[in-house]
C-alpha cells in the first residue's frame, strides 16, 4: 500500500508550505493558549491530513510507511501538538482496525477516521501498567453478547477529543494471551475522563485518564472478532507508531539545528559571530552527523517495514524499529540540549523556540516505549537468535 | 465560459540557482522544479471564478518537456478541470514568442472567454508571453492584475501602477496577466490530489498545432553577478562626499 510517487510529490511541498506558513507562525499562540486553534484544525481536515494512512477505498490516501516517515519528519519541524491533533487518527488510534479489523469494522470506522469526523485514541497504559503492558488490569467480562469493562487508562493522548478508543482489556487469564483490543465509542455510559494532565512540554496536546465503570461494549467490537489477540494487535500498532516517533525526532532535530545555526550566525561575542568559534562548530557538527545517521536509519527501517505484509509481525523488524526509536529519540535529546547550549542564557528564555523544543523533545524518549524498553526488545531478540 | 490558464514549469523559487560552468545557462540538473508562482495565482483566480459560477471550465496548458505534466497535475489539484501539454524536445530553447504562438493555436481550438496567466516567469523574467498572445490572437489585454471582476460580459481589471490603481474594462474574450497581490493560492488538499490523477490530460506536439517553435533569440552568455566587494568605513561626511564624487563617481 502506497500513494503513487507523482501524487506524493504534490503532497509533500503542500504540507511543507502549510507547516511554514500556518503552523510555525502559530507556535507561540499554541504555547500560550495550550490548544490548537480551531481554524487550523479545520484546515487540517480540509487538507485531508486525518486520512494520510487510511487506504483510498476508505476515503484516505494510504501512505506507505516510507512515505509516512517523510510526512512525519516535516511535521516534526514544528510544535508536536499540531501533529497530535490528527496523529492518533493516522497512527496508533486507527491502525489496529486497519491491521486486524474485520471488513465490517473497517467499513464502519475508517471513512470517518479519514475525514476527521471521528477522532480515535489508543488506550493501553494504566496507572499500574506501563512498560509491562501484558499484565494490564482493565477487565472485560462477557455478559450475553456484550463485554462489561472496568478499569482506568492513563495518559491517553487525544482522549478529550476522542469519539472512540482502541482499548486493550483483559478478556481471559493472565498474560498477553488474555488481552483483547476493543473499539470503544467514547459516548458509552460509564466512561468518564480525568482532569487534563499538566505536562512538562508539548503544550496543546491533550492527555488524560479514561475511567471505565461497567461500560457495556458489544462483543462484535473486538478488533478482528476474536478475543485474546489484543496484545499482538497492540504491539504491531506500536511498531509503526515507534517509527513515526523516530521520524518526528529527526524532523525536530533538524528544526532545532536550524534554530541553533541561525543563532550561531547572528549572535556576536568578542567581535565576531559565535559560529566562528570552533567549540560552537563542534556542537553543530555533532548534531548534524547524528541527525543524518538517525534519519538514514529511520528511512531504511521504514523501507524494510514496507517489505512485509501489514498484518504480519516480524520480530527482526520489530527489533530494528526499536533500534530506530532508541537512537533517534536519544539523538534529538542531545541535539536539543546542544541547541540550548549554543543559545547560552537565551536558550533558557522562552523567547527562543529552543527552550520549548528542549521540553517537547523530552517526551520522545518516554512514550511508545521508553529507551530502556527498546533496549530490552533489542537485547532479547539478539539473544533469541544467537 | 471557458478559462485557459497557461502554466510554466520553472526552478522552484526556494532554489539558489547556479550558472553552468560553460556559461551557457542555468544548471537545472537535479534541481527542484515547481509551477511559476505567478501562474499559480492565475490558476487560483480561474478556479475562484469557476467557483463563483462565472466560468464553466478551467483548462490548464503547459508548453515544454514531458515533466510539465507534473505542473499540470498541480494545476488540476488546485481545481483546473483538465490539462493540455504541448510537448517539446528537452534540448529545445523554448522562447516566449513560440509559446505565445502555441497558445494562440490553442485559443483558436478551445475558444476560451478568458486567458489568464502569470505576468512573467521567475526564471527568465521575460514578461512577454501574455502580451504577445494578445497581439497574435488580436484580443484585448490587461496586464499586472491585482483584481479581476467579470461584469456584464466584460472583465474589470484593477492594475497596480505607480502612485495608485488603474481600473480597465475590457471586452471578452481577453488576456489577463496576474500580479502578486491578486490572490493567495490555496493549499492543495489530498482529496483533490487524488482527483487530479483521474482528470483528462491531452498531449500535442507543436507540429500538431502547425507552429514553428524554432528559437529566434540566441543566448550569448549567462554569468553570475559580480561578487560584492567589502565596504569601507569613512571617518566623516567630507570624506564620504569625496569618495562618492571621486571613487564611486555617483555624484
Amino acid at each position: 500500500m502506497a500513494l503513487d510517487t507523482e501524487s506524493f510529490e504534490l503532497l509533500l511541498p503542500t504540507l511543507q508550505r502549510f507547516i511554514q506558513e500556518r503552523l510555525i507562525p502559530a507556535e507561540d499562540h499554541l504555547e500560550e493558549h495550550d490548544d490548537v486553534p480551531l481554524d487550523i484544525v479545520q484546515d487540517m481536515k480540509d487538507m485531508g491530513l486525518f486520512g494520510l494512512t487510511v487506504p483510498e477505498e476508505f476515503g484516505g490516501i494510504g501512505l506507505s510507511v516510507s512515505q509516512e516517515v517523510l510526512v512525519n519528519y516535516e511535521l516534526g519541524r514544528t510544535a508536536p501538538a499540531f501533529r497530535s491533533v490528527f496523529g492518533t487518527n493516522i497512527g496508533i488510534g486507527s491502525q489496529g482496525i486497519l491491521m486486524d479489523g474485520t471488513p465490517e469494522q473497517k467499513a464502519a470506522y475508517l471513512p470517518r477516521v479519514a475525514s476527521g469526523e471521528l477522532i480515535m485514541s489508543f488506550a493501553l497504559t494504566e496507572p499500574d501498567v506501563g512498560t509491562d503492558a501484558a499484565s494490564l488490569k482493565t477487565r472485560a467480562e462477557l455478559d450475553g453478547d456484550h463485554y462489561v469493562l472496568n478499569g482506568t487508562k492513563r495518559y491517553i493522548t487525544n482522549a478529550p477529543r476522542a469519539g472512540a478508543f482502541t482499548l486493550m482489556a483483559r478478556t481471559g487469564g493472565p498474560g498477553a494471551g488474555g488481552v483483547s483490543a476493543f473499539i470503544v465509542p467514547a459516548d458509552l455510559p460509564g466512561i468518564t475522563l480525568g482532569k487534563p494532565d499538566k505536562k512538562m512540554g508539548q503544550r496543546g496536546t491533550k492527555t488524560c485518564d479514561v475511567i471505565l465503570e461497567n461500560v457495556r461494549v458489544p462483543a462484535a467490537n473486538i478488533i478482528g472478532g476474536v478475543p485474546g489477540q489484543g496484545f499482538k494487535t497492540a504491539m504491531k500498532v506500536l511498531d509503526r507508531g515507534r517509527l513515526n516517533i523516530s521520524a518526528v525526532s529527526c524532523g525536530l532535530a533538524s528544526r532545532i539545528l536550524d534554530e541553533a545555526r541561525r543563532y550561531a550566525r547572528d549572535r556576536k561575542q568578542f567581535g565576531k559571530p559565535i559560529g566562528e568559534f570552533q567549540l560552537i562548530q563542534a556542537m553543530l557538527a555533532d548534531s548534524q552527523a547524528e541527525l543524518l545517521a538517525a534519519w538514514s536509519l529511520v528511512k531504511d527501517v521504514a523501507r524494510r517495514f514496507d517489505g512485509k505484509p501489514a498484518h504480519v509481525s516480524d520480530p527482526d523488524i520489530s527489533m530494528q524499529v526499536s533500534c530506530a526509536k532508541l537512537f533517534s529519540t536519544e539523538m534529538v535529546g542531545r541535539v536539543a540540549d546542544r541547541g540550548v547550549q549554543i543559545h547560552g542564557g537565551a536558550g533558557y528564555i522562552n523567547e527562543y523556540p529552543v527552550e520549548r523544543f528542549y521540553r517537547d523533545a523530552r517526551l520522545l524518549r518516554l512514550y511508545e516505549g521508553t529507551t530502556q524498553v527498546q533496549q530490552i526488545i533489542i537485547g532479547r531478540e539478539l539473544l533469541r537468535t544467537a | 465560459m471557458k478559462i485557459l490558464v497557461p502554466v510554466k514549469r520553472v526552478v522552484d523559487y526556494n532554489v539558489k540557482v547556479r550558472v553552468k560552468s560553460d556559461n551557457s545557462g542555468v544548471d537545472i540538473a537535479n534541481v527542484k522544479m515547481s509551477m511559476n508562482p505567478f501562474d499559480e495565482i492565475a490558476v487560483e483566480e480561474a478556479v475562484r471564478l469557476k467557483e463563483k459560477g462565472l466560468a464553466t471550465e478551467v483548462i490548464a496548458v503547459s508548453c515544454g518537456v514531458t515533466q510539465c505534466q507534473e505542473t499540470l497535475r498541480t494545476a488540476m489539484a488546485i481545481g483546473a478541470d483538465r490539462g493540455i501539454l504541448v510537448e517539446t524536445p528537452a534540448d529545445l530553447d523554448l522562447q516566449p514568442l513560440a509559446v505565445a504562438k502555441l497558445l494562440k493555436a490553442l485559443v483558436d481550438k478551445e475558444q476560451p472567454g478568458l486567458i489568464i496567466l502569470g505576468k512573467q516567469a521567475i526564471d527568465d523574467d521575460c514578461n512577454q508571453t501574455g502580451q504577445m498572445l494578445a497581439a497574435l490572437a488580436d484580443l484585448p489585454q490587461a496586464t499586472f492584475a491585482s483584481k479581476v471582476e467579470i461584469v456584464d460580459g466584460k472583465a474589470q481589471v484593477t492594475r497596480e501602477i505607480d502612485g495608485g490603481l488603474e481600473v480597465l474594462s475590457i471586452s471578452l474574450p481577453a488576456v489577463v496577466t496576474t500580479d502578486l497581490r491578486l490572490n493567495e493560492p490555496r493549499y492543495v488538499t489530498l482529496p483533490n490530489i487524488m482527483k487530479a490523477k483521474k482528470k483528462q490530460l491531452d498531449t500535442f506536439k507543436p507540429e500538431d498545432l502547425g507552429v514553428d517553435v524554432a528559437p529566434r533569440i540566441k543566448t550569448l552568455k549567462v554569468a553570475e553577478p559580480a561578487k560584492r566587494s567589502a565596504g569601507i568605513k569613512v571617518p566623516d561626511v567630507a570624506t564620504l562626499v569625496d569618495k562618492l564624487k571621486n571613487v564611486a563617481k555617483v555624484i
Side-chain angles (χ1 to χ4, degrees):
Chain A
M1 190 177 73
L3 182 64
D4 65 287
T5 311
E6 196 180 321
S7 301
F8 187 70
E9 281 172 4
L10 260 174
L11 178 157
L12 209 55
T14 305
L15 187 67
Q16 285 164 338
R17 187 179 140 217
F18 183 66
I19 291 168
Q20 198 64 39
E21 293 177 3
R22 293 277 281 140
L23 301 187
I24 291 179
E27 284 173 1
D28 288 337
H29 180 277
L30 173 77
E31 188 70 12
E32 198 177 323
H33 296 90
D34 196 16
D35 207 357
V36 178
L38 286 176
D39 57 327
I40 289 185
V41 175
Q42 190 57 47
D43 279 355
M44 289 170 168
K45 286 184 186 175
D46 293 343
M47 281 181 74
L49 296 181
F50 288 78
L52 286 170
T53 55
V54 174
E56 205 176 341
E57 55 182 309
F58 298 114
I61 59 164
L63 297 185
S64 67
V65 177
S66 297
Q67 293 170 331
E68 198 186 352
V69 294
L70 291 172
V71 164
N72 276 311
Y73 181 94
E74 297 301 334
L75 290 164
R77 290 184 49 85
T78 184
F82 293 122
R83 172 178 170 270
S84 186
V85 173
F86 57 90
T88 54
N89 266 35
I90 66 172
I92 55 179
S94 70
Q95 286 290 317
I97 298 176
L98 190 57
M99 289 171 176
D100 290 340
T102 62
E104 295 75 25
Q105 288 167 343
K106 290 181 186 178
Y109 288 93
L110 294 180
R112 289 190 294 144
V113 166
S115 68
E117 180 195 335
L118 176 73
I119 305 281
M120 286 206 72
S121 281
F122 180 77
L124 172 66
T125 300
E126 298 178 358
D128 297 330
V129 179
T131 296
D132 185 13
S135 32
L136 62 84
K137 291 179 178 162
T138 297
R139 291 289 318 173
E141 306 281 356
L142 190 60
D143 178 22
D145 56 359
H146 279 67
Y147 280 90
V148 180
L149 272 61
N150 280 288
T152 299
K153 294 292 178 181
R154 181 141 288 178
Y155 308 142
I156 304 307
T157 302
N158 267 347
R161 297 177 175 128
F165 299 94
T166 295
L167 189 142
M168 267 49 69
R170 188 166 301 285
T171 49
V179 177
S180 299
F182 287 89
I183 305 168
V184 180
D187 58 357
L188 289 183
I191 297 181
T192 47
L193 299 180
K195 277 191 307 189
D197 299 323
K198 290 180 181 167
K199 299 183 290 294
M200 176 196 279
Q202 304 219 353
R203 282 176 69 81
T205 58
K206 300 292 171 190
T207 59
C208 68
D209 281 1
V210 178
I211 302 130
L212 304 124
E213 287 169 299
N214 296 318
V215 179
R216 293 182 66 82
V217 181
N221 281 24
I222 289 186
I223 291 178
V226 186
Q229 302 297 310
F231 190 75
K232 284 185 196 157
T233 298
M235 291 305 116
K236 277 187 283 183
V237 167
L238 285 176
D239 265 358
R240 188 161 176 160
R242 283 168 183 163
L243 260 181
N244 286 316
I245 301 289
S246 309
V248 166
S249 301
C250 293
L252 180 55
S254 81
R255 171 72 187 279
I256 295 170
L257 187 54
D258 284 352
E259 297 287 342
R261 285 198 299 173
R262 189 174 316 135
Y263 192 81
R265 193 193 56 204
D266 296 345
R267 169 75 172 170
K268 289 196 175 71
Q269 286 293 282
F270 304 104
K272 54 183 178 179
I274 59 168
E276 289 183 20
F277 294 103
Q278 290 184 335
L279 288 177
I280 298 288
Q281 289 174 12
M283 286 191 274
L284 291 171
D286 284 350
S287 298
Q288 176 66 63
E290 291 178 30
L291 164 59
L292 259 183
W295 184 222
S296 308
L297 171 64
V298 173
K299 284 190 290 189
D300 187 65
V301 177
R303 196 174 48 76
R304 290 165 200 267
F305 200 101
D306 281 327
K308 74 168 179 68
H311 58 279
V312 173
S313 175
D314 178 334
D316 184 45
I317 288 181
S318 297
M319 186 270 282
Q320 295 183 28
V321 168
S322 288
C323 289
K325 207 258 173 188
L326 179 153
F327 187 75
S328 54
T329 58
E330 290 290 328
M331 176 278 298
V332 73
R334 292 190 295 271
V335 170
D337 188 72
R338 290 186 201 115
V340 171
Q341 198 68 19
I342 290 167
H343 279 69
Y348 202 68
I349 309 293
N350 68 8
E351 206 175 305
Y352 291 88
V354 286
E355 180 272 336
R356 164 160 59 77
F357 290 138
Y358 180 80
R359 289 182 284 112
D360 291 346
R362 192 64 187 81
L363 183 59
L364 297 166
R365 290 156 61 195
L366 305 173
Y367 66 175
E368 298 197 23
T370 60
T371 293
Q372 288 64 39
V373 167
Q374 311 308 328
Q375 288 173 322
I376 290 166
I377 293 170
I378 298 163
R380 208 166 42 197
E381 181 61 14
L382 286 177
L383 290 168
R384 188 183 71 85
T385 54
Chain B
M1 176 175 82
K2 284 189 199 174
I3 303 180
L4 193 72
V5 191
V7 294
K8 185 175 183 183
R9 178 174 181 267
V10 298
V11 172
D12 187 84
Y13 69 96
N14 285 312
V15 174
K16 203 165 177 284
V17 294
R18 268 203 300 242
V19 172
K20 284 187 196 163
S21 53
D22 64 358
N23 292 100
S24 63
V26 168
D27 193 358
I28 57 164
N30 301 317
V31 168
K32 188 182 173 210
M33 307 293 281
S34 302
M35 189 192 298
N36 176 36
F38 290 109
D39 296 341
E40 210 175 325
I41 293 170
V43 178
E44 175 68 34
E45 194 65 20
V47 172
R48 286 188 192 183
L49 287 172
K50 191 189 164 192
E51 285 167 351
K52 281 187 214 154
L54 294 165
T56 50
E57 190 183 28
V58 177
I59 310 158
V61 186
S62 194
C63 305
V65 294
T66 320
Q67 292 88 328
C68 292
Q69 281 182 2
E70 293 159 22
T71 316
L72 289 169
R73 290 282 170 217
T74 307
M76 291 190 278
I78 297 172
D81 298 289
R82 61 187 166 96
I84 299 173
L85 168 66
V86 183
E87 195 178 346
T88 59
D91 57 356
L92 176 83
D93 176 16
L94 191 62
Q95 296 176 346
L97 181 60
V99 174
K101 285 178 183 171
L102 292 170
L103 295 176
K104 153 79 167 66
L106 288 171
V107 167
D108 290 345
K109 200 170 144 65
E110 297 284 350
Q111 297 289 321
L114 183 66
I115 302 108
I116 182 160
L117 68 164
K119 66 170 182 178
Q120 68 195 65
I122 60 165
D123 50 1
D124 56 21
D125 281 335
C126 279
N127 180 9
Q128 294 172 344
T129 306
Q131 294 89 329
M132 285 174 167
L133 171 62
L136 291 171
D138 197 21
L139 294 175
Q141 59 174 303
T143 53
F144 302 3
S146 65
K147 193 174 174 191
V148 177
E149 283 177 301
I150 307 292
V151 188
D152 301 330
K154 288 180 177 243
Q156 239 180 50
V157 180
T158 307
R159 313 176 65 230
E160 291 182 0
I161 55 169
D162 284 350
L165 299 173
E166 180 186 46
V167 183
L168 299 180
S169 176
I170 52 175
S171 54
L172 300 176
V175 177
V176 172
T177 73
T178 60
D179 211 336
L180 196 63
R181 278 170 290 277
L182 178 59
N183 61 49
E184 210 171 296
R186 68 194 64 190
Y187 297 105
V188 175
T189 68
L190 303 190
N192 286 338
I193 291 175
M194 305 304 277
K195 276 185 214 151
K197 277 199 290 189
K198 294 176 189 116
K199 288 181 179 174
Q200 184 187 340
L201 200 166
D202 299 311
T203 303
F204 296 102
K205 301 271 184 212
E207 306 86 88
D208 303 333
L209 302 170
V211 175
D212 172 15
V213 290
R216 301 288 198 273
I217 303 164
K218 194 175 165 201
T219 302
L220 300 178
K221 188 183 172 189
V222 176
E224 303 219 5
K227 286 232 163 53
R228 195 166 158 244
S229 52
I232 52 162
K233 272 188 187 171
V234 291
D236 49 42
V237 176
T239 325
L240 175 67
V241 173
D242 176 63
K243 296 269 183 205
L244 287 174
K245 211 177 254 174
N246 300 314
V247 182
K249 295 191 167 87
V250 288
I251 54 172

